[in-house]
Amino acid sequence: MSTQIITPEKLVRVRGCCKVARRSGEIAGWIVPGAILVLLPKCSVCLAAYLMMATGISISVAAAVSLRAFLVALCVSSLVLLERRHIRNLRVGA
């Protein structure tokens, strides 16, 4: 159901714009955690070095190990939640 607002200047479709924005947000929700997982270095020393080069902030190797583990857990959990939402929407038919 597409709601239309008629003004003297033009005809505006309200639902079409929101649908595109929502779909773009869903796609970004999949791409961002996946890209972080792909680009995250496997070596904690490399993570500390990249962080220092990018921001100028140096961290210890122990902190880099914790940061890497946190980022991996965060990205994997967000991807799992997105997948569960996608499966639920397929079952409901939304």
Side-chain angles (χ1 to χ4, degrees), residues 15-73:
R15 298 279 293 174
C17 179
C18 296
K19 187 182 283 187
V20 170
R22 183 177 49 216
R23 185 69 181 150
S24 299
E26 290 175 8
I27 291 170
W30 284 97
I31 291 175
V32 171
I36 290 173
L37 281 175
V38 168
L39 297 175
L40 191 66
K42 292 184 175 128
C43 174
S44 298
V45 176
C46 295
L47 177 63
Y50 291 154
L51 185 66
M52 186 172 148
M53 287 189 301
T55 63
I57 299 170
S58 64
I59 61 173
S60 66
V61 175
V65 169
S66 299
L67 178 64
R68 185 182 182 286
F70 174 73
L71 286 174
V72 168

Side-chain angles (χ1 to χ4, degrees), residues 2-23:
S2 177
T3 305
Q4 297 178 350
I5 300 173
I6 300 174
T7 61
E9 297 86 23
K10 59 185 172 181
L11 175 70
V12 179
R13 290 181 185 250
V14 177
R15 298 279 293 174
C17 179
C18 296
K19 187 182 283 187
V20 170
R22 183 177 49 216
R23 185 69 181 150

